[in-house]
Amino acid sequence: MADSSLSRAVRWDTVVGALLVVVLLLSFGFVDGFGNSLNLSFLIGNTLPIALIALPMTLLVVAGEIDLSVASTAGLSGAVMGALWNQGMTIETIIPICLVLGVLCGLVNGLLVTRLGLPSLAVTIGTMAAYRGIAQIVLGSDAVTDFPSQYLDFAAGRIGDTFVPYALLPFLVLLAIAVVALHATPFGRALFAIGASEEAARFAGIRVKRQKLLLFVLTGLLSSLTGIFWALHYASARYDNATGLELSVVAAVLLGGIDFDGGKGTLGGAVAGVFLLGALQNVMSLQDVSAQSQIVVTGVLLVLSVLGPRVARQIAVARAGRRAAAPPPLPKTPAPTS
Amino acid sequence: MTHPSDTGPAPVLALRDVSKSFGAVRALRDVSLELFPGEVHALAGENGAGKSTLIKTLAGVHRPDAGQVLLDGEPVVFHGPGDARDAGIAVIYQEPTLFPDLSIAENIFMGRQPRRALGRIDHKATHSVTADLMRRLGVDLDPDRPARGLSIADQQIVEIAKALSFDARVLIMDEPTAALTGSEVARLFGVVRALREEGAAVLFISHRLEEIFQICRRVTTLRDGAWISSELLDGMTEDDLVRRMVGRDLDELYPKQEVTPGEVALSVRRLTREGVFTDVSFEVRRGEIVGLAGLVGAGRTEVARAVFGVDRWDAGEVEVDGQALVNGAPSTAMAAGLALVPEDRRAQGLVMDMSIERNIGLTGLRTTVKAGLVDRGAERSRSLDWAVRLQVKYARIADAVGTLSGGNQQKVVLAKWLATGPKVLIVDEPTRGIDVGTKAEVHRLLSQLAADGVAVLMISSDLPEVLGMADRVLVMHEGRLTAEIPRAEATEETVMAAATGRAAA
């Protein structure tokens, strides 16, 4: 047995990856209109917001924290973007402003969690409401739609007749960065230690608070990037953009085998979880399942995703239990005669 | 080494030729044990000798592969812990788990409260029965007080009372004294004697040999899962017992090498953390082992935490090798050459779910780096190197550190810190809860480190250890440094006098 925590996570990763393949194959085979490249590009485009936020969310959950304000941060970014556009600012000025705003949103969450020691679940439920409220104050019930066409085309378009949206490419770059950061750098290694045992991490000289603060800031940044993408992709900046997206992100990340208690999981699993959820939502839309019912499915998946890895682990533990129950007496140092 | 089955009363509970394997590992081989009423029986053996498996077999957690469990001479099969409990067998663990928000009485009767009409809980009955139990044990604990805030010693008393409420005839106490202070141990022993007078059979496990000789009449020794001996303690010496446990003569337990101290490596000046410790100043030189003694709660661990930077200090300064440390920053302390092996290895020293390799690797995340990425090859060889040097007994370096025995876990913590090549090593209770063999290894290691020029500050509540290993003994009492005693003058009396504040230093 390799690193036991890893091998368990890998096993669940494989399960989710296999599920994704099965769902895709079944959909290609049996769902009308699924396999054409236009629909596939829709699938990917609609999943990208979840996927983008899932990157920092995975790191956060591995470190034992969570951020539920991500969708509100995205909505706030979109709203500010719309409001400033109405003021006549150029989009090239607006986007950096929105990104800075996202950083600030993340900073507020991070400071409340690390400086005041508040639980992130509670803090970010609070800021989830607050950021959304500010979005509504900023933009009211307006919908801003007249963004410059080259931006709209980039956010909604695809490369030629292929199924690949333009926006997939920058996402893949971010994904690669996130995978390396989590799985190959000292920073990522420390996140696993923090999530598994914050105290032991601190005693090993890891700067726990600084790392967590950085994660919240990154989450804010990517949430706001997602908000900008959302407004351009759907050519509509409204205060209620991306409402409920945090549910999908958390569901997808947990579905991907990231342990809610922290310290376990891989980004590959999380991304598989994201696209599994995206494919299911796409298929449901094609089958005319109502949006409300889709939320029910997401909620059920969220519960299953917490349950699934645990059941898998219990099976693994039960199988390995006999060995794990007693540490084996290992070869002693050669003992002279007594 | 014969079976003492010729003595008066018949054993209440016995194991006969019990074997138990986990996969390919034989945890118990043909082990026999007889527990007699009114007698305290010691179970001795190093970590990994099979004591835990034996206890779990008696407690119905494991079923033996071969051999029998005999209750009052009759073979029985326990299908689970419930069966064993119904048969009158209770296990008191080292760290009891009570419901903190329930009262002592409610904890004792959890799940089987005496009822009144309409299923209401009869609080009067739970209270009076609990008070009776406390009286039987000769302990003054209020049944209505919540379990939160009880010392570990008091929690154990509650567990014992709970066992009595089940009419337990056999009490198994798994290292009950590991976390207790001297006076708490004395009280616990009073309780154990009371139980013995009532005719209970007690199986007592402890790494402290003097306790075994103090309270037990008979001892069974295990080594590598095999039964070595069962005999009366009368006439045995500690050395005899250690030889049976270890299977060889133990080299000196305190192999202190004489070293001439070098320059000052750690300098702590007027360090104060309000309400915790005040005006603490001392120095540790290269090659020195300085003991830091004192009662639990005197502020020793807190000083170490502040020096390392896990806690902040309010006033004072700390220098390592002439370099001032930043307040509250363990990473800079590490960079300056300071290492801290913390008191609680499970919560502070190790990430239990993580592999041995990565636990040792945690202290090298800044050094085993290539182009900003973790250099896995370097990490592995660093971890392997130190695991081997410290003779950690493990199956694979990628196994979770939680699967190791306590002594081996402690070696991993040491490995993790020695791998940083520290100039100053602070060890907080370095041998707590580990067996004698490993203890001697740790002492040899500390001595060797000092000889190699490392400055060692050793916090320990084990007085013989402090006296045996330290060149100088610093003593703390109620947050202040009250004495500094050179090796030649350090005795149990001088140290205890300073630790209890009786001597004006």
Side-chain angles (χ1 to χ4, degrees):
Chain A
M1 65 192 165
D3 184 338
S4 57
S5 59
L6 191 70
S7 68
R8 273 179 230 144
V10 165
R11 216 172 292 169
W12 181 253
D13 290 358
T14 324
V15 171
V16 177
L19 262 176
L20 176 61
V21 170
V22 169
V23 166
L24 288 179
L25 287 178
L26 286 176
S27 306
F28 273 114
F30 298 103
V31 180
D32 279 342
F34 181 85
N36 68 64
S37 56
L38 183 63
N39 180 61
L40 290 177
S41 77
F42 282 160
L43 189 170
I44 296 171
N46 291 337
T47 310
L48 273 178
I50 303 174
L52 272 169
I53 301 182
L55 300 179
M57 186 71 84
T58 300
L59 272 59
L60 261 183
V61 177
V62 164
E65 302 289 346
I66 197 164
D67 185 348
L68 295 180
S69 72
V70 287
S72 296
T73 304
L76 178 58
S77 276
V80 168
M81 184 172 153
L84 294 180
W85 178 252
N86 279 348
Q87 306 268 317
M89 241 187 237
T90 64
I91 195 104
E92 288 78 12
T93 327
I94 293 174
I95 288 177
I97 291 176
C98 287
L99 293 178
V100 169
L101 183 68
V103 166
L104 288 178
C105 289
L107 197 63
V108 169
N109 289 332
L111 288 175
L112 286 171
V113 171
T114 59
R115 300 298 138 180
L116 300 184
L118 302 174
S120 54
L121 193 69
V123 164
T124 59
I125 285 177
T127 53
M128 170 168 82
Y131 297 161
R132 185 68 72 185
I134 298 172
Q136 190 169 10
I137 292 168
V138 167
L139 197 60
S141 52
D142 292 355
V144 181
T145 57
D146 54 348
F147 295 110
S149 58
Q150 69 270 33
Y151 283 88
L152 296 176
D153 290 346
F154 175 80
R158 52 188 170 129
I159 302 173
D161 268 344
T162 66
F163 66 91
V164 183
Y166 292 117
L168 183 64
L169 304 178
F171 167 75
L172 290 177
V173 173
L174 289 173
L175 172 63
I177 293 172
V179 168
V180 170
L182 181 61
H183 294 294
T185 65
F187 176 79
R189 190 63 69 76
L191 291 183
F192 283 98
I194 292 171
S197 172
E198 185 169 332
E199 205 182 1
R202 218 154 56 91
F203 272 87
I206 291 166
R207 297 176 202 187
V208 174
K209 286 183 178 176
R210 180 188 293 203
Q211 291 217 359
K212 283 189 174 175
L213 185 62
L214 183 57
L215 281 187
F216 278 105
V217 167
L218 284 174
T219 308
L221 177 67
L222 276 160
S223 300
S224 108
L225 184 66
T226 303
I228 295 165
F229 172 72
W230 184 290
L232 295 172
H233 183 71
Y234 297 109
S236 168
R238 290 168 49 96
Y239 83 89
D240 60 354
N241 272 5
T243 297
L245 193 69
E246 72 282 339
L247 175 67
S248 302
V249 173
V250 173
V253 165
L254 297 186
L255 182 60
I258 311 297
D259 193 317
F260 191 66
D261 293 333
K264 292 189 189 83
T266 65
L267 249 175
V271 171
V274 167
F275 282 95
L276 179 57
L277 189 67
L280 288 174
Q281 286 178 346
N282 179 268
V283 168
M284 287 190 289
S285 297
L286 288 174
Q287 305 283 27
D288 289 329
V289 177
S290 71
Q292 289 81 355
S293 309
Q294 292 194 25
I295 295 176
V296 173
V297 172
T298 308
V300 170
L301 265 181
L302 179 59
V303 173
L304 288 181
S305 61
V306 178
L307 209 62
R310 261 160 227 248
V311 171
R313 192 169 316 143
Q314 253 153 29
I315 293 169
V317 167
R319 238 189 260 156
R322 285 144 205 280
R323 273 172 299 152
L330 292 147
K332 298 261 173 186
T333 41
T337 50
S338 50
Chain B
M1 297 190 198
T2 55
H3 268 287
S5 45
D6 47 351
T7 40
V12 205
L13 183 65
L15 294 180
R16 185 167 296 161
D17 299 328
V18 162
S19 295
K20 177 75 188 171
S21 297
F22 298 99
V25 176
R26 302 183 69 190
L28 290 179
R29 279 173 290 168
D30 299 330
V31 170
S32 298
L33 173 77
E34 291 181 322
L35 300 179
F36 297 93
E39 192 175 283
V40 184
H41 191 125
L43 183 60
E46 292 192 277
N47 289 335
K51 295 182 307 240
S52 301
T53 310
L54 186 146
I55 292 168
K56 286 182 178 160
T57 306
L58 289 175
V61 177
H62 295 324
R63 234 178 298 169
D65 300 332
Q68 289 175 317
V69 180
L70 303 172
L71 187 68
D72 294 320
E74 297 295 321
V76 286
V77 176
F78 295 140
H79 293 282
D83 284 0
R85 193 184 62 200
D86 294 343
I89 300 166
V91 184
I92 313 296
Y93 292 100
Q94 187 178 338
E95 279 165 25
T97 45
L98 300 177
F99 297 97
D101 292 317
L102 298 184
S103 72
I104 290 175
E106 285 166 333
N107 266 289
I108 288 176
F109 289 99
M110 191 65 219
R112 54 192 178 99
Q113 296 89 344
R115 298 298 173 92
R116 300 194 305 167
L118 301 174
R120 288 171 300 162
I121 293 175
D122 188 344
H123 288 289
K124 215 177 269 174
T126 51
H127 178 96
S128 68
V129 175
T130 306
D132 283 344
L133 289 169
M134 292 300 164
R135 218 166 295 128
R136 254 170 85 192
L137 292 173
V139 174
D140 186 27
L141 278 179
D142 178 4
D144 294 331
R145 141 178 205 160
R148 187 183 298 283
L150 284 180
S151 68
I152 288 183
D154 286 341
Q155 294 180 38
Q156 284 172 349
I157 300 286
V158 174
E159 289 283 352
I160 293 171
K162 188 172 177 177
L164 289 186
S165 75
F166 280 107
D167 295 318
R169 296 184 296 154
V170 179
L171 258 104
I172 301 169
M173 308 179 85
D174 189 3
E175 291 192 49
T177 60
L180 303 194
T181 62
S183 57
E184 289 171 337
V185 171
R187 185 182 65 165
L188 178 71
F189 282 4
V191 168
V192 171
R193 290 195 186 96
L195 293 169
R196 187 182 64 192
E197 299 315 315
E198 288 190 12
V202 178
L203 183 64
F204 179 81
I205 292 112
S206 173
H207 282 305
R208 300 185 190 167
L209 301 185
E210 69 272 16
E211 290 177 356
I212 291 180
F213 281 89
Q214 215 179 321
I215 191 90
C216 302
R217 185 172 131 83
R218 207 182 291 274
V219 61
T220 292
T221 313
L222 300 181
R223 189 197 313 150
D224 291 339
W227 178 89
I228 301 300
S229 69
S230 288
E231 59 206 309
L232 292 170
L233 276 159
D234 215 18
M236 272 176 83
T237 65
E238 289 196 11
D239 284 347
D240 294 335
L241 186 53
V242 167
R243 211 170 298 121
R244 298 209 199 343
M245 286 163 62
V246 182
R248 62 196 143 102
D249 278 318
L250 203 60
D251 305 344
E252 229 188 314
L253 191 52
Y254 305 112
K256 175 77 184 98
Q257 302 180 27
E258 286 308 318
V259 176
T260 319
E263 353 120 39
V264 173
L266 172 67
S267 159
V268 175
R269 280 193 295 274
R270 309 198 68 98
L271 204 66
T272 298
R273 181 173 161 87
E274 265 169 49
V276 184
F277 54 84
T278 310
D279 198 16
V280 172
S281 302
F282 62 89
E283 290 180 342
V284 185
R285 294 172 174 276
R286 292 173 147 272
E288 250 192 333
I289 299 179
V290 173
L292 183 51
L295 302 179
V296 171
R300 299 168 301 165
T301 296
E302 290 74 10
V303 168
R305 290 173 60 115
V307 166
F308 185 66
V310 177
D311 294 337
R312 298 182 70 83
W313 64 73
D314 296 318
E317 50 198 67
V318 180
E319 281 181 8
V320 171
D321 241 16
Q323 188 184 340
L325 296 190
V326 180
N327 193 356
S331 52
T332 58
M334 280 170 70
L338 184 63
L340 170 66
V341 171
E343 171 186 39
D344 182 345
R345 65 172 166 265
R346 299 183 63 85
Q348 301 165 342
L350 298 168
V351 180
M352 299 309 276
D353 284 345
M354 231 180 216
S355 67
I356 302 162
E357 176 183 1
R358 297 212 166 171
N359 265 288
I360 298 177
L362 275 185
T363 54
L365 286 181
R366 268 188 211 85
T367 45
T368 47
V369 175
K370 213 155 63 181
L373 307 182
V374 177
D375 184 340
R376 294 203 182 178
E379 181 185 46
R380 168 150 295 205
S381 61
R382 177 181 180 270
S383 298
L384 272 172
D385 179 31
W386 281 99
V388 169
R389 274 208 232 179
L390 268 60
Q391 302 181 338
V392 180
K393 287 161 196 156
Y394 58 89
R396 283 180 210 168
I397 194 91
D399 285 349
V401 79
T403 61
L404 301 179
S405 68
N408 280 301
Q409 287 175 7
Q410 186 69 351
K411 286 185 183 177
V412 174
V413 185
L414 282 161
K416 165 181 169 182
W417 284 108
L418 295 185
T420 64
K423 292 171 188 154
V424 177
L425 176 67
I426 304 177
V427 288
D428 195 351
E429 303 289 0
T431 62
R432 177 189 280 170
I434 65 180
D435 60 75
V436 268
T438 312
K439 195 167 168 176
E441 281 180 63
V442 170
H443 290 153
R444 203 157 31 240
L445 184 72
L446 293 177
S447 189
Q448 186 56 47
L449 285 168
D452 292 343
V454 177
V456 180
L457 179 66
M458 183 178 76
I459 301 172
S460 175
S461 299
D462 184 339
L463 216 41
E465 175 172 272
V466 173
L467 298 175
M469 295 301 298
D471 294 294
R472 276 187 293 142
V473 183
L474 305 170
V475 188
M476 282 188 77
H477 172 64
E478 292 182 351
R480 286 176 184 275
L481 216 50
T482 52
E484 175 172 343
I485 309 171
R487 181 175 178 84
E489 294 164 30
T491 62
E492 300 220 359
E493 289 70 32
T494 53
V495 174
M496 280 318 288
T500 51
R502 275 184 279 131

